[in-house]
Amino acid sequence: MHLSSHLITLFSALAVVAASPALDEREAKLKQGLRLIKTSAADPGTWAAEDEKVHTHTGQRVHFVDITDIKDPEVLARLDGDDSARVAAPVPAITYPGVSHQAEANGLINQLTTSGPQSWLQTMTNFYNRYYSSTYGTQSATWLFNTIKSISAPNPRITVSQFTHSYNQPSIIARIPGSSPSLIIVGAHFDSTGGSPTARGPGAVDNASGCVVIMEALRVLANAKYTPRNTMEFHFYSGEEGGLRGSGDVWRSYKSAGKQVKAFVNTDMAGYSPSGKISSYNDYSDSGLLAYVRRILNAYSGGYTTDTCGYGCSDHASAYSNGFPAAYVCDEPDRTSTPYYHSPND
């Protein structure tokens, strides 16, 4: 018995000693302010400082996901490219409908204006930048939170809350309760970068434009006191330019809580379109939802363009990696998108 006990103790000690260097190295990296980022499914991850993340990746249009805080093996497997990895699906497979309720939709569409979006966009771009770790980024979040509360005020049933993160810039969620707890979500990130954490980064197209689009939709629905069948949420994410950090936190929490999400549509860049058509991207999307979005685009926009987005290019990747049905729309295919992306001239 004593020998067995000593052997168990010895093997346990050896296991701890063997594991300690990796744990110590991780703690040392974190104390240095480094983050573990991943640029492709095959990339195991590289530790990078904040400046390096932006200069080497964001500023060079290299997409990445910050995986430092991701512990869920299912999510990590999907980020490694294993789309078959078992994800505890919060809802069964969804059959999306055809185009319907057009009279109701057109009545709401007729209430849209450009005056609010133009004003909101001007205010957002007046911030020196909206980078998620800057004081300007925090100030912009406060302004956005108060503005969304004001937009929502005509319908007292709408709630507006802040989702806090380990950094100072919160994400913001507006919720219109429906008769069902199942969720229909639209989202856009509101942080920006001009190519470095300290650069001027007005972020007009990327992504004040996407924010004001869904803000105007929220305003119309609030004024109409619209009561949906499924609960609707409007997400405004922080930290997208830092590796999808804000949306990553939100969607991890939704997966953990077992929330039932029927659809998430991400809008990232909506203000520069030489083609004059909305672009519906092919990858990191649910095939059924993608087909439904394209039916809607055909019915209301007279068609669409397509492209592939690449690894970790925007917040729909966070929803997708957590097992939720996601799709992404923006203003243009990548090859003809704004030339001022991630610069002080956006």
Side-chain angles (χ1 to χ4, degrees):
M1 291 294 293
H2 290 295
L3 178 59
S4 297
S5 298
H6 283 303
L7 286 172
I8 291 170
T9 302
L10 176 61
F11 284 129
S12 298
L14 289 172
V16 169
V17 170
S20 291
L23 293 173
D24 288 346
E25 181 183 6
R26 177 183 172 84
E27 289 303 315
K29 299 289 189 184
L30 292 173
K31 286 179 180 179
Q32 295 171 38
L34 302 181
R35 304 288 299 181
L36 187 60
I37 64 170
K38 187 174 170 65
T39 60
S40 70
D43 178 13
T46 304
W47 290 96
E50 194 67 32
D51 283 359
E52 185 181 0
K53 280 202 303 185
V54 179
H55 288 303
T56 308
H57 299 90
T58 307
Q60 302 301 317
R61 302 185 76 150
V62 176
H63 304 307
F64 63 93
V65 179
D66 187 321
I67 64 170
T68 312
D69 302 322
I70 302 176
K71 305 297 189 296
D72 188 327
E74 294 176 354
V75 175
L76 289 170
R78 285 174 71 89
L79 288 170
D80 285 344
D82 183 5
D83 288 347
S84 66
R86 187 189 69 81
V87 173
V91 293
I94 299 165
T95 300
Y96 293 96
V99 177
S100 60
H101 302 285
Q102 287 181 281
E104 185 179 13
N106 285 326
L108 294 168
I109 289 169
N110 289 337
Q111 303 305 311
L112 296 170
T113 71
T114 58
S115 58
Q118 287 174 346
S119 175
W120 302 325
L121 191 141
Q122 183 65 63
T123 301
M124 293 182 76
T125 58
N126 282 344
F127 289 101
Y128 180 76
N129 64 40
R130 301 185 303 278
Y131 197 69
Y132 75 102
S133 62
S134 73
T135 55
Y136 307 108
T138 306
Q139 292 165 7
S140 68
T142 300
W143 171 84
L144 185 60
F145 178 62
N146 290 331
T147 302
I148 293 170
K149 286 199 297 183
S150 177
I151 290 169
S152 304
N155 184 351
R157 298 180 69 242
I158 298 176
T159 60
V160 182
S161 60
Q162 297 184 77
F163 188 107
T164 58
H165 305 284
S166 60
Y167 50 91
N168 288 334
Q169 187 184 58
S171 298
I172 300 161
I173 297 174
R175 180 183 178 93
I176 307 177
S179 55
S180 164
S182 296
L183 295 169
I184 306 295
I185 302 173
V186 293
H189 77 88
F190 69 91
D191 61 312
S192 71
T193 180
S196 83
T198 58
R200 171 80 170 114
V205 174
D206 186 17
N207 184 37
S209 64
C211 289
V212 302
V213 165
I214 67 172
M215 288 166 72
E216 177 65 3
L218 176 61
R219 182 194 68 80
V220 168
L221 293 173
N223 286 347
K225 295 181 173 57
Y226 181 75
T227 301
R229 180 171 61 183
N230 296 296
T231 296
M232 298 179 68
E233 288 186 351
F234 294 73
H235 288 193
F236 300 85
Y237 300 118
S238 67
E240 191 267 357
E241 303 292 6
L244 316 186
R245 291 189 64 180
S247 62
D249 286 349
V250 170
W251 286 104
R252 281 195 297 277
S253 77
Y254 278 32
K255 181 177 185 289
S256 177
K259 294 201 175 187
Q260 296 187 342
V261 178
K262 290 189 171 181
F264 169 60
V265 177
N266 178 44
T267 302
D268 190 349
M269 303 201 301
Y272 179 91
S273 185
S275 71
K277 292 185 177 181
I278 294 172
S279 196
S280 170
Y281 277 57
N282 298 317
D283 49 349
Y284 299 95
S285 297
D286 176 86
S287 59
L289 178 57
L290 181 63
Y292 177 62
V293 166
R294 289 175 173 176
R295 289 197 292 273
I296 295 295
L297 292 175
N298 277 329
Y300 291 97
S301 299
Y304 54 87
T305 59
T306 66
D307 202 353
T308 54
C309 192
Y311 190 82
C313 86
S314 191
D315 294 305
H316 59 292
S318 295
Y320 185 82
S321 65
N322 279 277
F324 294 100
Y328 171 42
V329 294
C330 74
D331 51 15
E332 195 71 10
D334 185 67
R335 64 187 177 277
T336 50
S337 65
T338 173
Y340 305 116
Y341 171 79
H342 289 170
S343 82
N345 296 318
D346 180 9

